Amino acid sequence: MEKQESHGKILIIEDNLGDARLVEIFLEQTNLIHFESIVHCYTLRDAFEQLDKETFAAVLLDIHLPDSHGISTLEELLDRFPEINVVLMTGFNDRQTALQAIQKGAQDFLVKGEFKAAELAKTINYSIERNKIIKRLEETQRMTNIGHWEVDLQTKSFIASEEVFRIFGTQSKETSINYEYALSLIHPDDVEEAKGIAKKLFDEKVTIKKDFRIIRRNDEQGYVSLTAKVVNVTDGKVTKVSGVLQDITQVKLNEIEILKGKERYQNIFNSSKDAIYVKQKTGGFLDFNEASKDLFGYSDEELNKIDYNSLFVNPEKRLEFERIIESGESVSDFPIAIVTKNREVKNCLLTANQMRPEEMTGYHSSVLSYHVIIRDISDALKAEQFKKEKEIAEHQSKMKEELLANVSHEMRTPMNAIFGFANLLLDDNLKEEQQKLVKLIIDSSSHLMKIINDILDVSKQTNNDIEFEEAPIDFKTMVMNLEDVFSNPSKDKNISFSVEYDSKLPDHIIGDPVRINQVLLNLCNNAVKFTDEGSVKLSAIKLNESEEDVSIRVVVKDTGIGIKQDHLPIIFQPFTRVANSKKKLYEGTGLGLSIIKAVIEQQGGTIDVKSEFGKGSEFSFDLTFKKCANPNNTEISNQADDYNEVDDKSLQILLVEDNNLNQMVAKKTILRQWPNALVDIAQNGKIAVEQIVKNEYDIVLMDIQMPVMDGIEATKCIRETLESPKCDVFIIAMTAHKNVKDDDKHFQYKMDDCILKPFEPKELYSIIHKYTSKKRTMERSYLSPQTKYVDFTYMDLYAEKDEDFKKSMIEGILNDTPPHVATMNQLSSNGQWEELQKMSHLLKTSFPFIGNATLTKSNETIDKTLKLWKDEKISDQEVRETVPPLVETVCTYFNHSIKEIYEEYQRLGGGAILEPELVANPS
Ligand code: ADP
């Protein structure tokens, strides 16, 4: 006999000692079964204890025990120990129960009194083997997530393996399965389909396989694959079906993920601006996107047939990147030049890698293939190149501007001496002939200065950089004055010069007086210069007028030498001169017309010329100006200066200048007008500061460029380190740098005003007069409020001696301006330039009433600078450097001014308004 392996221990649960003993005897008698030992328990509780302690190969169970009765004994036992192998021992009458027990999970049953040793051994042996097989099956089911099920339609019973219940997240014992319950486990959207399948199964009796979504007991969604087949048909009716159920959730989720990934890739592939394609190493394209077609310029059919090498400027490069890919590496941003269908070469960056086998699904190819992304960087390269060129051009133009500014400065300094001394000479008692010669020196110097100014303007004109002031202009007087200006030169040439002003034109307009005068003078000057007989006539005509604007045409017509037709298009270009002939040489640089064209066009106007060679020319320009609502203001600027008001005995001026000749010019010019004035000289800024500490001065005339300490630094030192009132001394920049005056840079340096060298004596007298009279107003403080910063002339002019009206104007200023200035200060420290520009623009209309030039001008410069920044004409960096110091100046001067305005308000009787708070910390 074959040697059998021991199964282990056997447990008998039986309250009848006799029955138990009989079983023991049978087992001991037979050699058909090998076991280690037998354990006997009388009650179910004892059995539990025993089973908790050890494992048994088989459990022989009597279901009628003292502590448990009937089929529930088995249920309780299997519930606690689902793995055990139970063989039921029933009485003769319990056959029915025995069958039930099999369904509940018992392996077999023995009817007491009907079995002998051999049968007992056989049953136990079978049960052990069956149990092992079931366990293996369950294990397999668990591992594969497949459960088995069976429905008997006659008995209405449903049997399923544990795995089926696990899949649904339910427990076998708590579930009584019926059709409705089964449907409730299916995802609502799949229920109809499931019903259809069931119908098909019953109608057609075919095996069906279908995937469904299910809703598990914990509400989680899952996926199952159901296979069902009919196993029994009685009288043509299906009585039994069975099948398997597989949990395919993970597989499905993976599939979905893969699909999503593919979809995402497909989206990128389709919408990418970069060309993407899959290419076999030897063979054609497997796939390409729209961008590939756009890049290469070929259609689908053409690309499918194309010779791949023909797409590259240098096919060697293709081999180079392919070699890298074949070695298993990927290439990224590999520079490569491709050729399009139109033979256009494009510079690109190529990124590529070999396709892995799993990536090849869908592509029917067995050869090595790679995935390529090509980015066209031609435009980016061009932009980069353009940026570089622009930077170089900007740099060069800046250098040019600096060079011109320096040259102009260098020329102006000696010119100041020539011009100044000539002017001083003129006033001495000279003989008539000497006077004539000196006048010639003055004329020539003026002429030279005009050329120097023109050269500077040309550099601005090319940079689109001319800045325009907006001021009230007495345009009629300006135009009519031309008659006086040109009466002598035209008389000298024996030609007539006349001016006509359209009566429909307003007398006053708003514009840049210097620039507009420059245009008029230039055109008249040319007309007189190029006319040797006949006449020159200037007409100012009204074109259009709206509520705010007026459009003006100015025509300058001469009967001069004229311009040849083919020369007309070029005369507005810089350095163009076409009039010189062998017979006659006309003076000129060929700059004037190009400058005035820029001046007119940059203000939104147009200039035109008509000419007939030998007969004459007609230059005309159209410009639109704002109308002047308050022409009175122009009167203020036209007021004649009465220098004699200045008491020269008390006049003390500090002249800070390093050039000896210029020191002499300035000092002598001042002394000529005010012989008793005290003019001290400081060679540089450092000495100036020391002098100011020691002495009292009314005015400091400060050169900018000086050795040791320049004018900018010296002013900073005076303003920031000296005590009041020394720190408040009036400082006038006296500079040969035209840009300082043109761009109002002196305000940035905290200087009060600026005079450009070379200056006319009148200009110097006027500026000295202006600031000494301000000082006088200050000193009369015991009579009227001390207004050092505020000039009430403007307000008084508006108020026309009506003090109530003046007070209401002051109230307006006290209410509105302090919060605006505070906001401005805040916006400046936050670097909110756009908002700052708006605020500065808003204040432009209020500040003039305060009558403080520094305040008004600094604010105007802020507005102007930020407008240039908005038009991208100056950089952020420049704004950061220039605007905050100007805002500081505005705040400082505003704080001083508002105090004085409040004092005036009190003087006028005061009222509800409290003294405004000063703007915080304008350092
Ligand atoms: P400039 O007068 O200094 O030479 P402009 O730029 O003012 O320079 O003028 C350029 C050229 O246009 C002059 O040199 C001259 O040839 C021509 N031109 C200008 N105005 C007239 C005019 N009224 N009649 C004839 N030719 C003129």
Side-chain angles (χ1 to χ4, degrees):
M1 195 157 176
E2 222 180 291
K3 190 168 180 334
Q4 279 190 349
E5 209 184 301
S6 164
H7 290 305
K9 294 180 180 175
I10 292 173
L11 175 68
I12 302 170
I13 311 170
E14 172 63 86
D15 59 341
N16 185 318
L17 189 61
D19 287 345
R21 187 67 203 122
L22 192 63
V23 171
E24 280 178 42
I25 291 166
F26 282 152
L27 288 175
E28 278 156 11
Q29 273 178 0
T30 180
N31 57 359
L32 291 173
I33 184 162
H34 289 261
F35 56 91
E36 272 173 33
S37 58
I38 299 169
V39 178
H40 176 209
C41 295
Y42 290 89
T43 64
L44 192 60
R45 301 299 133 207
D46 288 349
F48 284 172
E49 262 177 44
Q50 208 58 46
L51 284 162
D52 274 336
K53 276 191 270 177
E54 50 194 333
T55 15
F56 294 89
V59 177
L60 300 174
L61 173 73
D62 174 11
I63 54 169
H64 301 295
L65 297 172
D67 55 350
S68 177
H69 201 77
I71 195 74
S72 64
T73 311
L74 174 72
E75 283 173 342
E76 220 179 314
L77 184 67
L78 283 178
D79 208 23
R80 236 177 115 166
F81 304 98
E83 307 275 288
I84 58 173
N85 166 28
V86 181
V87 175
L88 211 67
M89 293 198 297
T90 65
F92 182 72
N93 296 332
D94 270 348
R95 259 174 208 280
Q96 199 51 42
T97 320
L99 281 173
Q100 221 185 332
I102 299 292
Q103 283 175 353
K104 296 277 178 197
Q107 289 300 338
D108 211 338
F109 70 91
L110 291 160
V111 179
K112 288 183 200 171
E114 285 190 0
F115 64 85
K116 294 267 168 31
E119 204 188 348
L120 174 66
K122 197 171 130 201
T123 302
I124 294 175
N125 275 337
Y126 279 7
S127 77
I128 290 171
E129 287 313 314
R130 211 179 301 127
N131 194 17
K132 276 189 192 157
I133 290 167
I134 287 172
K135 272 193 197 141
R136 261 183 244 131
L137 197 65
E138 275 179 0
E139 183 65 17
T140 313
Q141 290 194 2
R142 247 197 313 277
M143 282 164 68
T144 54
N145 298 320
I146 298 175
H148 175 265
W149 56 271
E150 195 177 284
V151 179
D152 189 328
L153 294 149
Q154 278 174 329
T155 59
K156 295 205 169 22
S157 68
F158 175 85
I159 306 170
S161 65
E162 280 300 316
E163 191 55 20
V164 170
F165 297 101
R166 199 204 55 77
I167 290 172
F168 287 113
T170 59
Q171 282 189 1
S172 50
K173 65 169 181 129
E174 69 182 52
T175 314
S176 85
I177 304 280
N178 57 28
Y179 186 59
E180 272 68 38
Y181 182 80
L183 287 182
S184 77
L185 294 168
I186 294 171
H187 190 286
D189 293 349
D190 291 355
V191 167
E192 279 314 306
E193 205 178 351
K195 283 182 185 168
I197 299 273
K199 188 171 179 319
K200 192 171 178 189
L201 179 72
F202 286 102
D203 291 351
E204 298 174 23
K205 303 173 186 67
V206 285
T207 303
I208 278 168
K209 195 167 175 353
K210 184 73 199 155
D211 296 349
F212 291 112
R213 278 172 293 172
I214 56 162
I215 303 291
R216 300 191 216 274
R217 279 295 290 273
N218 60 3
D219 281 341
E220 253 178 37
Q221 183 176 308
Y223 292 83
V224 291
S225 172
L226 176 89
T227 308
K229 67 171 187 181
V230 173
V231 278
N232 212 350
V233 181
T234 312
D235 299 334
K237 271 184 101 184
V238 176
T239 50
K240 205 178 215 177
V241 285
S242 77
V244 289
L245 188 77
Q246 184 175 15
D247 187 344
I248 52 165
T249 308
Q250 206 45 51
V251 179
K252 275 278 176 196
L253 291 179
N254 290 347
E255 257 175 36
I256 289 169
E257 267 316 301
I258 291 168
L259 268 177
K260 272 192 198 158
K262 270 196 180 155
E263 220 169 89
R264 270 197 293 267
Y265 172 77
Q266 208 55 39
N267 278 340
I268 295 170
F269 186 82
N270 291 336
S271 60
S272 166
K273 290 209 170 70
D274 294 337
I276 307 178
Y277 59 82
V278 178
K279 164 85 178 52
Q280 305 177 91
K281 174 157 181 341
T282 48
F285 288 103
L286 290 175
D287 203 358
F288 47 78
N289 64 353
E290 281 297 313
S292 304
K293 292 192 275 177
D294 294 344
L295 176 70
F296 295 117
Y298 290 104
S299 67
D300 289 74
E301 299 83 63
E302 288 169 329
L303 268 188
N304 280 325
K305 280 191 247 144
I306 200 132
D307 165 18
Y308 191 51
N309 273 340
S310 73
L311 296 175
F312 299 98
V313 173
N314 180 0
E316 269 300 307
K317 278 263 178 190
R318 170 210 162 177
L319 297 179
E320 205 181 303
F321 82 74
E322 280 185 349
R323 267 197 295 275
I324 303 175
I325 299 170
E326 276 164 48
S327 73
E329 308 250 317
S330 53
V331 283
S332 73
D333 291 344
F334 183 90
I336 198 153
I338 61 118
V339 192
T340 70
K341 189 179 173 185
N342 300 334
R343 312 306 305 153
E344 205 185 322
V345 172
K346 289 186 173 174
N347 293 303
C348 300
L349 292 178
L350 178 144
T351 297
N353 60 282
Q354 216 180 94
M355 296 280 277
R356 291 192 301 269
E358 65 269 25
E359 290 173 324
M360 289 297 291
T361 41
Y363 298 125
H364 304 290
S365 168
S366 52
V367 281
L368 172 79
S369 300
Y370 51 81
H371 182 259
V372 178
I373 303 173
I374 298 190
R375 170 161 296 183
D376 178 5
I377 53 160
S378 311
D379 288 347
L381 283 179
K382 268 187 220 150
E384 182 72 11
Q385 180 72 9
F386 177 72
K387 200 174 150 216
K388 267 192 201 147
E389 281 168 10
K390 191 167 168 254
E391 275 169 11
I392 293 171
E394 276 171 0
H395 180 69
Q396 282 175 343
S397 125
K398 219 175 168 130
M399 297 246 299
K400 189 174 95 185
E401 206 180 306
E402 272 169 25
L403 177 83
L404 283 170
N406 280 340
V407 169
S408 142
H409 175 261
E410 291 308 318
M411 289 166 99
R412 268 167 198 284
T413 309
M415 280 307 297
N416 188 43
I418 299 170
F419 196 66
F421 285 129
N423 268 305
L424 287 168
L425 262 181
L426 197 63
D427 285 354
D428 283 332
N429 295 330
L430 296 181
K431 289 183 197 147
E432 201 179 320
E433 182 59 23
Q434 286 170 324
Q435 277 235 348
K436 232 182 182 177
L437 293 176
V438 172
K439 270 192 183 147
L440 274 177
I441 297 177
I442 293 174
D443 280 354
S444 302
S445 329
S446 304
H447 189 70
L448 195 53
M449 277 320 299
K450 190 185 167 305
I451 294 174
I452 295 170
N453 287 345
D454 278 357
I455 291 173
L456 264 188
D457 273 352
V458 166
S459 86
K460 290 200 162 193
Q461 156 210 336
T462 43
N463 288 340
N464 246 353
D465 238 12
I466 308 177
E467 287 174 15
F468 297 98
E469 204 188 332
E470 280 199 350
I473 308 172
D474 182 346
F475 190 55
K476 186 171 182 184
T477 309
M478 184 185 274
V479 170
M480 298 315 287
N481 274 350
L482 292 169
E483 229 166 28
D484 293 339
V485 176
F486 288 97
S487 71
N488 278 342
S490 41
K491 248 188 229 152
D492 290 348
K493 294 188 82 178
N494 213 8
I495 56 171
S496 75
F497 186 95
S498 60
V499 174
E500 194 177 69
Y501 196 85
D502 187 347
S503 59
K504 290 192 259 10
L505 263 181
D507 291 356
H508 296 88
I509 52 171
I510 303 268
D512 188 323
V514 175
R515 291 298 181 183
I516 198 73
N517 208 20
Q518 178 185 14
V519 173
L520 295 172
L521 287 174
N522 223 309
L523 289 179
C524 294
N525 210 21
N526 276 351
V528 172
K529 182 163 72 177
F530 295 110
T531 304
D532 297 321
E533 53 191 50
S535 62
V536 172
K537 186 178 174 190
L538 180 142
S539 326
I541 310 154
K542 188 180 96 173
L543 288 181
N544 286 308
E545 189 175 1
S546 71
E547 219 166 282
E548 281 147 19
D549 303 325
V550 58
S551 300
I552 299 176
R553 170 167 298 166
V554 174
V555 184
V556 181
K557 196 171 159 74
D558 66 58
T559 56
I561 59 169
I563 304 162
K564 286 184 186 156
Q565 287 305 303
D566 53 343
H567 286 154
L568 282 179
I570 56 164
I571 55 161
F572 290 106
Q573 286 169 15
F575 303 104
T576 303
R577 303 179 59 232
V578 296
N580 290 337
S581 70
K582 278 180 193 146
K583 278 186 249 158
K584 186 160 184 179
L585 202 71
Y586 293 96
E587 273 181 357
T589 54
L591 290 174
L593 284 181
S594 77
I595 291 167
I596 63 169
K597 183 174 195 278
V599 167
I600 290 167
E601 288 180 352
Q602 285 183 38
Q603 289 182 97
T606 52
I607 182 160
D608 194 24
V609 57
K610 290 184 200 131
S611 189
E612 209 176 317
F613 188 55
K615 291 209 165 151
S617 313
E618 185 183 301
F619 285 84
S620 64
F621 69 87
D622 294 353
L623 256 182
T624 301
F625 297 93
K626 276 196 200 119
K627 282 165 69 178
C628 183
N630 180 22
N632 281 345
N633 269 355
T634 54
E635 249 87 43
I636 295 165
S637 53
N638 287 348
Q639 268 174 1
D641 291 316
D642 183 3
Y643 316 131
N644 295 329
E645 259 186 31
V646 179
D647 174 10
D648 65 348
K649 287 193 200 73
S650 63
L651 182 59
Q652 302 196 32
I653 294 174
L654 177 64
L655 176 65
V656 194
E657 166 74 71
D658 64 321
N659 182 299
N660 291 344
L661 289 175
N662 285 335
Q663 286 171 4
M664 277 165 71
V665 169
K667 187 166 176 173
K668 278 187 181 284
T669 309
I670 297 168
L671 292 178
R672 168 139 311 179
Q673 180 66 28
W674 299 294
N676 296 315
L678 174 94
V679 181
D680 282 347
I681 289 175
Q683 283 284 349
N684 60 48
K686 191 162 176 279
I687 299 171
V689 178
E690 289 162 8
Q691 300 260 75
I692 292 168
V693 172
K694 275 191 258 158
N695 308 314
E696 294 287 322
Y697 294 106
D698 301 298
I699 291 164
V700 178
L701 296 171
M702 180 80 81
D703 188 12
I704 301 257
Q705 235 175 26
M706 282 179 294
V708 187
M709 185 190 266
D710 66 22
I712 301 167
E713 220 183 309
T715 307
K716 196 168 183 277
C717 183
I718 295 163
R719 297 283 189 239
E720 290 175 8
T721 61
L722 302 192
E723 303 254 302
S724 182
K726 303 243 178 205
C727 64
D728 295 326
V729 65
F730 292 120
I731 302 177
I732 317 294
M734 196 157 79
T735 174
H737 280 292
K738 191 166 182 285
N739 286 356
V740 172
K741 186 160 173 65
D742 283 0
D743 303 343
D744 289 331
K745 284 204 173 127
H746 52 282
F747 290 121
Q748 222 171 297
Y749 310 145
K750 300 205 162 100
M751 298 180 181
D752 297 278
D753 218 322
C754 180
I755 182 164
L756 192 65
K757 285 187 283 194
F759 48 81
E760 297 239 17
K762 270 183 160 187
E763 288 177 75
L764 184 61
Y765 300 151
S766 151
I767 214 159
I768 292 174
H769 169 252
K770 181 174 164 192
Y771 286 91
T772 45
S773 52
K774 274 197 181 191
K775 182 124 194 283
R776 271 203 318 283
T777 328
M778 269 161 57
E779 280 161 2
R780 287 204 305 268
S781 58
Y782 56 94
L783 289 176
S784 68
Q786 179 178 329
T787 60
K788 183 177 162 193
Y789 290 91
V790 182
D791 184 349
F792 283 107
T793 324
Y794 294 81
M795 247 188 258
D796 289 338
L797 200 88
Y798 261 82
E800 289 174 337
K801 297 202 176 103
D802 178 348
E803 295 237 308
D804 284 344
F805 183 63
K806 184 177 175 185
K807 197 173 153 195
S808 66
M809 279 170 85
I810 288 183
E811 280 171 347
I813 292 173
L814 290 173
N815 275 329
D816 297 344
T817 48
H820 288 160
V821 177
T823 311
M824 205 170 159
N825 192 29
Q826 194 57 50
L827 293 170
S828 167
S829 37
N830 294 349
Q832 291 170 272
W833 308 130
E834 215 165 313
E835 289 81 358
L836 179 60
Q837 192 267 327
K838 284 183 199 144
M839 193 45 77
S840 155
H841 196 78
L842 187 79
L843 285 166
K844 249 172 100 172
T845 47
S846 324
F847 281 167
F849 291 102
I850 296 177
N852 182 304
T854 310
L855 183 64
T856 314
K857 280 283 182 181
S858 305
N859 184 54
E860 276 173 11
T861 315
I862 294 170
D863 182 41
K864 235 189 255 174
T865 312
L866 291 175
K867 270 187 193 146
L868 288 174
W869 168 79
K870 259 185 168 173
D871 295 344
E872 293 179 5
K873 285 186 183 157
I874 61 168
S875 67
D876 288 3
Q877 173 73 13
E878 278 172 90
V879 170
R880 276 196 298 275
E881 279 168 12
T882 55
V883 171
L886 284 164
V887 173
E888 252 181 51
T889 310
V890 165
C891 294
T892 313
Y893 279 74
F894 179 76
N895 279 346
H896 287 303
S897 306
I898 205 76
K899 260 179 109 173
E900 291 179 4
I901 290 178
Y902 190 72
E903 278 159 16
E904 180 70 359
Y905 174 62
Q906 300 286 48
R907 195 188 66 78
L908 292 169
I913 301 176
L914 298 176
E915 182 161 3
E917 271 182 40
L918 297 185
V919 180
N921 294 328
S923 51

